[in-house]
Amino acid sequence: MNTGRGNWICPRYAFYQVSTDIQEIFCSACDQLGVHWTKSGERTIYVSRKADVAKLDTFIGPKR
């Protein structure tokens, strides 16, 4: 879950991967789908925008 100021909570995807090759595959797939992603540090990639999370939910399914 992504939380912010003003007490809002939204789902987001966090992809943690040590391998830069696999990170590049994930980011490339997101780019092809038109899904915006951001990188945090060297190993974590986030998909946080509501529309992009909804798009991934159609492929992956909602998180529990």
Side-chain angles (χ1 to χ4, degrees):
M1 294 306 268
N2 190 12
T3 59
R5 295 180 186 155
N7 298 325
W8 56 268
I9 299 174
C10 295
R12 74 172 168 185
Y13 282 91
F15 181 74
Y16 179 86
Q17 182 55 248
V18 175
S19 168
T20 56
D21 292 337
I22 295 175
Q23 288 178 15
E24 289 174 13
I25 292 169
F26 176 78
C27 293
S28 176
C30 286
D31 290 341
Q32 290 177 22
L33 292 169
V35 171
H36 180 265
W37 54 271
T38 57
K39 194 165 184 182
S40 176
E42 293 185 20
R43 298 181 178 156
T44 305
I45 299 163
Y46 289 113
V47 175
S48 301
R49 293 181 179 174
K50 289 180 185 180
D52 296 325
V53 170
K55 188 178 280 190
L56 284 184
D57 282 347
T58 64
F59 292 99
I60 300 168
K63 298 183 338 181
R64 296 176 190 222

